[in-house]
Each structure stands twice: as structure tokens, then as C-alpha cells.
Amino acid sequence: MIEGVLLAIFAGLMLGLYALPEKFTKDFKYENTWSLFFLLTMFVVPIIASVSLINGFGDIFGNMPTDIWIKMGLTSFLWGIGVMMWGKAINHIGLSLGFSLFIGTILLVGSLLPYLEEALPASNIFITILIGLFVVLIGVFANGKAGLIREKDEVEAGEKNDGKGSMLTGILIAVVGGLLATGFSYANAAGRPYLHEACQAAGNPEWVTAVAVMFPIFISGGIVMTAYFLWQLSQKKAWADFKTPAFSKNFVLILIMAVFHYAASALFAYAAYKLGESGNTVGYAIFNTSCVVTAIISGLITKEWVKASGKAKGFLYFGLTCMVLGILIVAYSNSLK
């Protein structure tokens, strides 16, 4: 259990930091940065990782039952839409708040979705999980309130909008995107049993199952993102912005984002396996909450909240405390019998 918890926390840490290099790219529009990121993280990185690391790659996926392909493909497609919306929400409300609302929504709904594929745990375990998720929900609302107060503080301080949309719009995008992105949790629960058995039969180590699970999820989720950003690059006439002296530096920064994003997701899948019964739910909650904590701290370090009042920061810290407390309760549920 301890190993699974630590792996889930580390995966969340990686996911919480993966978007940070985006702040240091130059001469790229939003569309340039995120189109290149999604191309790398959804296709290039998972294809290279899967083909090179999975023994019997062709047979494993060639023999996967059609109903599993459908379940994983459709829900991963929705996840792709959700992640794309999250990237847009960051432009409205910033990294720390965008992460907290998006991941908070994912955590609340996505932690329960695996039970559509798995049996419910004992009542004392399930009730403890629900209590923990309710505490997290309080934290999500507190973070949303903090963002609205921060927006008002920035306006009163005379800060320019810098192309950002409204805070309320950003919050709505983040929450709806989070709901759609819970498809990741369901796809993992639906595909892992078959893929684990098939990978073991092909002589792969246990951790390779996590790589196998990510392959259909990332490929399916990447389809919608690719189509959207090809359209956006043309609409915003952003293709020419790739021709910049900073391209090499930007590419390296975005590649780091892509590797961290993919590795964090694969590591979560392995952590969920190591956590055993209810591992999908408990691991998903730990993974996403540690991600939120990391993102909020990085947002504070990069001075996203420098113009915020003490009241705004108070709500932010209260929300953060609730989310950490909630996840401790969820983690505790995994020790109950």
C-alpha cells in the first residue's frame, strides 16, 4: 500500500509541474505551444514508448476485444476534449486556479467512475471515500471563490487583462472540461484487466501494463486535440509563428512538458495497480490532489497571486487545506477492511 501511495503522489507531482515550462516559451501563440505539446504527448511519446517497451505489442492490441476498444476509445475521446478545454481555461484563470478547479472536478467524479466496472467496496470503506471527496469538494469551491476575489483585486490594482477572458468563463470551462476528462479514469478501469493479463502472458514486467493502458487512451484522446489545433492554427494565422529563433528552445521546453504529462499518467496507472482493491479510486484521488497542491504552489512561486488580497489568499489556503485533508481521508480508506 505504501508503495502505491508514494507512486501516486509522485505521479501527481509530475502532472502538477508539467505545464510550468510553458511560461518560459517565447514568440509562440497559445495555439503554437499547445498544438505542438498535444502532438508530442498524445502521439509521438506514447507511440515510441509503447512500441519500444511492450513485448508482443501487435498481438496484445490486435487481440483486444472490440467492446474494450469501444469503451476506451469513446471515453478517451471525451478526455481529450476535457484536457483541451483545460488548456483554454489556463489562459483565463491562470495555472494554479485552472489546475485546482479542473483536477478537483476530475477527482470528485472520476474517483467514482471505476465502480461502473468494479464492485463497490465494503460500506465502511465507501463511506470513508465519500467523506474524503466531500471535504475535497469544499476545497474546490473555496479555490473558485479565491479566483473570483483575485480577479477583482487585479482590476482594482489597475492590472491589464493581457488577453485573458473573464474569470467566470474560465471557471466554467475548467469545470466542464474536468467532467469530460473523467473519461480517463473510466478508460483505465475498463482496459487494465485485459491488458494486464495480455502483457503478463507476453512476458512483460508488471509496470509495462501501465504503458499499454496509456496507448489507446492517448491515441484516442489525441485525435480531437489534433483536429482542433490544426483548425485553430489556420484561424489565428499562427503557422508563421513557428518560424522563430526561439523555436529550438521552445521545442525542448514543450517536449519536457509532453514527457512529464505522459509519464505522470502512466505512473498513476501503475500506482493504481499497486494499491490493489479500490486502487483506481484511491490512487486517482491521491494522484489528482497531489497534482493540485503542486500546481497551486508553483502558481504562488511564479507570482500569479502577487496582486491578490489577503482575503483571496485566505480562501486559496483554506481550499488547499481541505483538499489535502480530504485526500488523507481517502488514502486512509484503503487501509480499512
Side-chain angles (χ1 to χ4, degrees):
M1 172 186 168
I2 298 298
E3 181 184 3
V5 170
L6 292 176
L7 287 172
I9 291 174
F10 186 67
L13 177 66
M14 292 177 67
L15 190 64
L17 291 173
Y18 94 84
L20 194 57
E22 186 263 346
K23 289 180 173 289
F24 304 101
T25 57
K26 294 182 179 179
D27 303 328
F28 268 16
K29 290 189 173 89
Y30 163 85
E31 290 76 16
N32 299 100
T33 298
W34 289 98
S35 61
L36 183 55
F37 165 75
F38 285 128
L39 174 66
L40 292 173
T41 198
M42 294 297 178
F43 295 105
V44 177
V45 174
I47 288 174
I48 292 174
S50 299
V51 172
S52 60
L53 295 175
I54 302 174
N55 295 327
F57 172 83
D59 290 337
I60 289 171
F61 288 101
N63 295 323
M64 191 160 80
T66 303
D67 66 314
I68 296 179
W69 271 114
I70 293 174
K71 287 179 180 179
M72 295 189 75
L74 289 178
T75 53
S76 299
F77 188 80
L78 293 178
W79 169 66
I81 296 175
V83 173
M84 183 177 63
M85 292 177 70
W86 170 81
K88 196 69 176 177
I90 286 180
N91 267 16
H92 287 265
I93 57 181
L95 178 64
S96 58
L97 185 60
F99 251 112
S100 64
L101 293 177
F102 177 73
I103 302 296
T105 303
I106 286 179
L107 192 153
L108 292 168
V109 180
S111 295
L112 299 177
L113 278 181
Y115 291 131
L116 295 177
E117 290 289 321
E118 305 165 353
L120 288 174
S123 59
N124 62 324
I125 297 175
F126 188 56
I127 290 173
T128 303
I129 290 173
L130 291 179
I131 292 173
L133 293 178
F134 177 73
V135 175
V136 171
L137 178 61
I138 296 174
V140 171
F141 283 133
N143 285 337
K145 179 67 173 178
L148 292 171
I149 296 174
R150 191 191 81 186
E151 181 183 46
K152 182 180 177 181
D153 295 336
E154 290 172 349
V155 171
E156 291 177 350
E159 184 171 299
K160 294 182 179 180
N161 199 21
D162 293 330
K164 289 185 180 180
S166 76
M167 182 68 69
L168 182 59
T169 299
I171 289 172
L172 290 174
I173 293 173
V175 171
V176 173
L179 289 172
L180 294 176
T182 57
F184 178 93
S185 176
Y186 181 83
N188 178 67
R192 194 178 69 186
Y194 162 78
L195 288 170
H196 179 68
E197 183 178 342
C199 284
Q200 290 292 287
N204 290 285
E206 287 183 343
W207 61 266
V208 170
T209 298
V211 178
V213 171
M214 291 304 106
F215 180 74
I217 292 178
F218 272 63
I219 297 300
S220 298
I223 293 173
V224 64
M225 300 175 193
T226 300
Y228 174 77
F229 278 104
L230 287 175
W231 174 68
Q232 281 290 290
L233 285 169
S234 298
Q235 285 290 107
K236 301 295 177 65
K237 296 180 172 55
W239 288 100
D241 290 288
F242 283 116
K243 297 179 180 179
T244 168
F247 179 83
S248 297
K249 176 186 175 183
N250 291 349
F251 182 86
V252 172
L253 290 170
I254 295 168
L255 179 61
I256 292 171
M257 290 167 59
V259 172
F260 266 56
H261 178 261
Y262 173 80
S265 301
L267 189 58
F268 151 72
Y270 184 59
Y273 165 74
K274 297 297 288 185
L275 283 166
E277 187 178 353
S278 291
N280 279 317
T281 293
V282 174
Y284 200 64
I286 295 172
F287 167 58
N288 284 293
T289 301
S290 60
C291 166
V292 172
V293 173
T294 302
I296 289 176
I297 293 174
S298 67
L300 290 169
I301 292 173
T302 54
K303 299 182 179 180
E304 284 189 357
W305 293 81
V306 69
K307 297 288 180 65
S309 64
K311 183 178 180 181
K313 292 178 180 177
F315 271 103
L316 182 71
Y317 299 146
F318 174 71
L320 180 60
T321 301
C322 286
M323 297 186 83
V324 172
L325 177 60
I327 204 56
L328 289 174
I329 296 172
V330 172
Y332 171 72
S333 72
N334 203 51
S335 67
L336 299 176
K337 301 295 182 182

